[in-house]
Amino acid sequence: MRTHCIRCGECCIGSSPTLQAEDLSLVEAGVIAAKDLYTIRRGELVWDNVIEALTIAQEEILKVKEKKEGGCIFYDETAKACTIYEKRPAQCSAMACWDTAEFMRVYKEAKLAREDVIRDRVLLGLIEAHETRCSYEELQSHVKAIEAEGEKAVEKIIELLKFDFQMRPFLVQKLGLSPDKMDFLFGRPLADTIVMFGLKVIREP
């Protein structure tokens, strides 16, 4: 039975960590920047590595971004090492594939949320407005209405998708926000996550 890490990298290649409340200091110190994160919003369908199943997020989650080919962005596959190892997130520090007790203890503690990180009241107001307008509950209600309302419900879905899609470049231009922070500030685009409802967006010129 294994009792220590053999640096196989499987935990880092498999997924990226969710930030716990105690990881706030890492964000404030710039070890993990906003551009390195994305937000899973409440109501979003996600893969839960702990229960190994798809589940609906019951609370907001901040996750470290992953590479296109998969795996945490802070993992160096060549060196088989974490590039922020000395200041890695709590879930990473607690990870031990041979004994999950400590990880589960950390996992059950409070998660970090956007309002813990962002101090700008204007930004927080925009996030709240976006949550109200583009909540997954709202989107789901229109999806469920397709059978009864048909094209009318589809038009409401498209309206939400357009608002979410167009808001991002607008705020980049008007407020000078960085494009690579959009997934942290407002979560992943609805045009991408709408697949959770069995729908697909086809963009036309």
Side-chain angles (χ1 to χ4, degrees), residues 3-16:
T3 59
H4 63 283
C5 179
I6 60 173
R7 293 168 63 93
C8 65
E10 287 301 314
C11 55
C12 305
I13 295 172
S15 182
S16 62

Side-chain angles (χ1 to χ4, degrees), residues 72-85:
C72 180
I73 59 171
F74 292 118
Y75 182 64
D76 184 334
E77 291 191 48
T78 301
K80 287 189 176 297
C82 172
T83 56
I84 58 169
Y85 185 81

